[in-house]
Every structure is written in structure tokens, then in C-alpha cells.
Amino acid sequence: MSVLDDIVVGVREDLERRRAARSEADVRAALADVDAARDPMPALRARGSSVIAEVKRRSPSKGHLADIPEPAALARAYADGGAAAISVLTEERRFGGSLADLVAVRAEVDTPLLRKDFVVDDYQVLEARAAGADLVLLIVAALDDATLRRLHDLAGSLGLTTLVEVHDAEETGRAVDLGADLVGVNARDLKTLEVHPGTFAELAPLVPADRVLVAESGVSGPGDAAAYVAAGARAVLVGEALVRTGDPAAAVAAMTGLVAPESAGAR
Ligand SMILES: O=P(O)(O)OC[C@@H](O)[C@@H](O)c1c[nH]c2ccccc12
């Protein structure tokens, strides 16, 4: 079993526990009480790079990254640094997150929020919106086409933006065919956990220029961000480098507003 398959097994167990405690009908009823979802696309399409800053305590590949006793305080720093969106990892077993983190961050900032998890079931999309998320991640490698489309449509019907994550050419084709406006290229292969920094430049030309590309994983600072921007990224999604620095606001600001040099291939 690949690492991804293994993670999804645990995610399904956890989600069935939550569904037993709170019915889907209850979650749907709660949707009436949340503010309309914020649209992250105008900021992501604007000139100059954007940062999607992640609240991440640990990962299967790196182990412990940061304690983050107060996710809201970290999110405040990200917002102050000019993050276009904030990603909150809600997976519990491997990443040490929870939906409670998302709720806490939502109460603190007005920035668009991404629920970063292994979404495989309608229930998770509904609970994301009910918790105040504005975006959800859909990982192409974890979903068959019918499920990918159903989750994408459900998210759209709730006003959620989907970040559709790919790590090879086949998955990129599936994301493009789906009509995904926001495509994330994850340099970390979730099947092996290896990082391949060249993946972004390989896959970017396969994505039509009207879509917004996000470079995900292994971005350690402005130099990496600039390289991705030159290869066609409008945004970088950064976790580890931001949760480990002493000044997350400054770190976000340093990766924001970068523009591709004239010589870079326009997408
Ligand atoms: O901490 P990094 O290397 O900056 O990576 C952030 C983000 O890309 C990574 O957390 C991630 C990308 N896609 C995911 C899917 C599930 C869990 C986590 C991820």
C-alpha cells in the first residue's frame, strides 16, 4: 500500500467516527449559520506572487515541525504578512491537526481559509464549509474521476473554491479536464514522500494559461518562490519554512509580490 493509501485508511476511520457523532443532516443545517465563502481567486490572479501560508505541526516525512499551541496567533501573523490564503491542516493522525484548529483560525482572521486534508467523502466538504473554510483541497491521486467530479461540484455548490492537487502529467490532465481553476503542483510525491523540485516546471506547460498555478512543498524562502514564479506559479503554498521561523509575518511578506522576469516563459 502506498503512503497515500495508508493515510486515507486512517482518514476514513476518523471521518466515520465524526459522522457517528454528528449526522450529515446536522452539518448541513449548520451551513445556514456561516458567512458566505470568501473568493480567493482575485488576490491569487493579481500581479505579483501570493503566499498560501500553512498551519502545520508535523508531517509523515519530517516528523515534528512545531508545537503551535495557538494556531490563531500564527494565522494572525500570516495575515499581517499579507498571505492571500491560509491553509489549515486538519488531518489528525499524521499531521497533528483538527477541524478545531480551522474554527480557531476562522475566528481570528478574515483571510480565505483552505481546509487541507485528505478529502474523500462529501461529509468532509460539508464540515469544511460549516467550520468556515473557503477552499478545500482535492488530491487527484486519492480520487477516481467520478468522486473527484462529485466532490468538486459539491464544493462549488457551497461556494467553496477547490485547490486541485497533482504530481504527474496524468493527474494534471485529469485536473484540467475537471475544469479546475486552481491547480496545485505538489513537489512532494504523496505516494513516496520524496520531493522533486523539477516537477512544477515539467507540469506547468500542461495547464492552460487561464488557470492559476500554485507550487506546493519544499519552498524554503524567497529564492525558491522566485524560481517557481519564473516557471509560471502565481502562488506558493508553504508550511515547514513558515512554522519554523521566528518571524512568520516577515517570511510571508518576503515571498509576496514577486514577479517573473521578462525572459520567463509567459503562461
Ligand atoms: O511544509 P512544506 O514542505 O512547505 O509543504 C507544505 C504543503 O505543500 C504540504 O503540507 C502539502 C501539500 N499537499 C499536501 C496534501 C496533504 C498534506 C500536506 C500537503
Side-chain angles (χ1 to χ4, degrees), residues 54 56 95 116 118 165 186 216-218 237-240:
E54 187 154 281
K56 181 180 193 180
F95 293 87
K116 177 73 101 62
F118 297 80
E165 178 174 301
N186 193 357
E216 303 178 10
S217 300
L237 198 163
V238 191
E240 179 177 352

Side-chain angles (χ1 to χ4, degrees), residues 195-206:
V195 171
H196 303 283
T199 304
F200 184 90
E202 261 169 50
L203 301 183
L206 308 178

Side-chain angles (χ1 to χ4, degrees), residues 16-59:
E16 292 311 336
R17 217 183 348 93
R18 293 198 304 280
R19 189 180 353 236
R22 189 186 187 195
S23 71
E24 185 171 314
D26 265 22
V27 179
R28 281 188 186 271
L31 296 174
D33 301 329
V34 285
D35 293 346
R38 296 148 188 78
D39 182 2
M41 296 306 285
L44 293 170
R45 287 190 197 278
R47 185 177 156 77
S49 62
S50 298
V51 175
I52 303 177
E54 187 154 281
V55 176
K56 181 180 193 180
R57 291 195 182 84
R58 62 173 193 258
S59 71

Side-chain angles (χ1 to χ4, degrees), residues 14-229:
D14 290 348
L15 115 81
E16 292 311 336
R17 217 183 348 93
R18 293 198 304 280
R19 189 180 353 236
R22 189 186 187 195
S23 71
E24 185 171 314
D26 265 22
V27 179
R28 281 188 186 271
L31 296 174
D33 301 329
V34 285
D35 293 346
R38 296 148 188 78
D39 182 2
M41 296 306 285
L44 293 170
R45 287 190 197 278
R47 185 177 156 77
S49 62
S50 298
V51 175
I52 303 177
E54 187 154 281
V55 176
K56 181 180 193 180
R57 291 195 182 84
R58 62 173 193 258
S59 71
S61 56
K62 296 287 182 92
H64 176 267
L65 297 173
D67 290 334
I68 319 184
E70 286 184 63
L74 180 58
R76 166 54 50 206
Y78 289 162
D80 289 349
I86 296 173
S87 167
V88 181
L89 254 163
T90 57
E91 199 278 338
E92 299 175 25
R93 298 187 186 201
R94 312 299 182 104
F95 293 87
S98 71
L99 265 183
D101 287 346
L102 187 87
V103 171
V105 169
R106 175 75 296 156
E108 176 70 23
V109 299
D110 232 356
T111 311
L113 293 189
L114 167 68
R115 180 187 188 179
K116 177 73 101 62
D117 209 317
F118 297 80
V119 172
V120 291
D121 192 287
D122 295 13
Y123 186 85
Q124 295 163 289
V125 177
L126 294 164
E127 62 179 3
R129 185 74 273 275
D134 308 294
L135 304 93
V136 285
L137 182 75
L138 295 179
I139 302 172
V140 173
L143 301 165
D144 61 52
D145 270 335
T147 310
L148 179 61
R149 178 154 309 271
R150 194 186 72 240
L151 295 171
H152 184 258
D153 289 352
L154 173 62
S157 75
L158 300 174
L160 289 162
T161 299
T162 48
L163 172 59
V164 180
E165 178 174 301
V166 301
H167 50 58
D168 65 23
E170 189 254 342
E171 291 170 16
T172 304
R174 292 175 60 202
V176 170
D177 291 348
L178 178 69
D181 282 336
L182 189 58
V183 177
V185 175
N186 193 357
R188 187 180 303 283
D189 185 332
L190 290 177
K191 292 176 178 158
T192 62
L193 296 185
E194 285 163 25
V195 171
H196 303 283
T199 304
F200 184 90
E202 261 169 50
L203 301 183
L206 308 178
V207 178
D210 61 336
R211 318 293 177 91
V212 171
L213 273 174
V214 181
E216 303 178 10
S217 300
V219 175
S220 63
D224 293 339
Y228 281 134
V229 169

